Amino acid sequence: MTPIISVIIPVYNTGTYLRRCVDSILPQLPDESEIIIVDDGSTDSSPAICDDIAASDRRITAIHTHNGGASHARNTGIEASRGRYTMMVDSDDTLEPDRIIPLINRMEAERLDLLTFGIYDIIDGKRRLNNVSGKPHSAVSGAEYALRHTIEHSPCTFIVLRKTIGDLRFQEGVIMEDYSFCLELYERCRLIAHSPEAVYNYIIRKESVSRSRGVDADRHRMHCWAKILERMASRPWTETYRPAAQRWIAHYKLEAMKQLGHCRLSISERLRIRRTLRHAGIDGSGRPALPSLRANVMRMMLETTPSAIVLWLVCDLRRIIRGALS
């Protein structure tokens, strides 16, 4: 029998948190469901922990792969999944109790392709509700959602039809791979809606991969931004989705430029990366989708306060001047 839902959990040296994660999911799963744990070449005791947990319940499968990063682990889980619906949960996070079945019921009742939900950000044991404001509670098209609302930047913040994912996969070899995956996934969605109730507990740890610091980490992050933006901007978006895609490419490009201003890299290296980011904007027709930082700023001024843009430009200029004088 086809499982109702597949829950994919990538693991890399986080086995100590895995049982807590699985214990938050199992009690609320329908009987005909599956949890797919993907061990991404862990170097600690995580592989054995994955196998022990998988042996405890017939609905759990453990897969072991070489270390290819979170994208590779998620792609492996997608390939192995058989459920009608798909959810993704990071191994050091948890779900709120009694949430999955109501999500499935709404997906079926409204014939949705994707349903987003609220999350709790948990820092030092303190919870803050997130991902709830400005969302369409009634169903809208993927193009309308992406054009008029804030799209999700994590695959852990929604439940989606497996057939909607289809052959879409995460970009491997980069961090922040969620951005392009989610942007492309929304294009495939006929109907999307939002549930304001918190489902996911995002537990922020100091050693998180995406929060690593240092010169090498800064350099890698900017290299990943360039690859992600190039993938986004070179994709042949449909005519109905193109305005939404260009809106978010502009947003991400400006975010990359802002992060570049905070990088602990030399002036010459930052200028070289800046040129790379500026040219990582060719759309499917071969035209520059985002020809300059000025175009990004003008676009973003339509979406945020002018004072915020001016403040960032002034701060960035001051950082460059201080760096040149030091």
Side-chain angles (χ1 to χ4, degrees), residues 245-312:
Q246 289 187 336
R247 173 201 178 197
W248 284 102
I249 294 169
H251 176 85
Y252 293 142
K253 195 168 186 180
L254 182 58
E255 178 61 29
M257 291 291 192
K258 289 166 62 178
Q259 290 186 19
L260 180 60
H262 293 279
C263 285
R264 284 160 288 189
L265 303 174
S266 67
I267 293 295
S268 60
E269 188 169 7
R270 279 199 285 173
L271 289 174
R272 185 171 65 253
I273 294 172
R274 189 186 187 96
R275 287 193 296 270
T276 300
L277 291 174
R278 287 185 63 179
H279 291 290
I282 305 298
D283 67 15
S285 64
R287 300 187 302 269
L290 304 166
S292 67
L293 177 60
R294 182 180 301 171
N296 288 322
V297 172
M298 293 300 293
R299 186 184 298 270
M300 287 300 294
M301 285 181 70
L302 300 176
E303 303 170 5
T304 188
T305 61
S307 59
I309 295 295
V310 171
L311 178 61
W312 170 71

Side-chain angles (χ1 to χ4, degrees), residues 198-216:
V199 173
Y200 194 91
N201 294 313
Y202 173 45
I203 303 171
I204 301 173
R205 299 184 294 116
K206 293 181 180 179
E207 63 269 31
S208 171
V209 171
S210 61
R211 297 170 65 86
S212 59
R213 294 291 184 266
V215 173
D216 290 341

Side-chain angles (χ1 to χ4, degrees), residues 66-107:
H66 67 276
N67 179 229
S71 299
H72 174 72
R74 286 171 174 163
N75 287 340
T76 300
I78 291 172
E79 294 287 347
S81 64
R82 300 178 297 114
R84 173 173 169 79
Y85 300 102
T86 301
M87 287 183 70
M88 298 190 187
V89 180
D90 287 343
S91 55
D92 50 354
D93 296 332
T94 62
L95 298 186
E96 286 288 289
D98 303 319
R99 296 293 197 266
I100 291 179
I101 291 179
L103 292 175
I104 293 173
N105 290 341
R106 184 172 177 190
M107 289 283 287

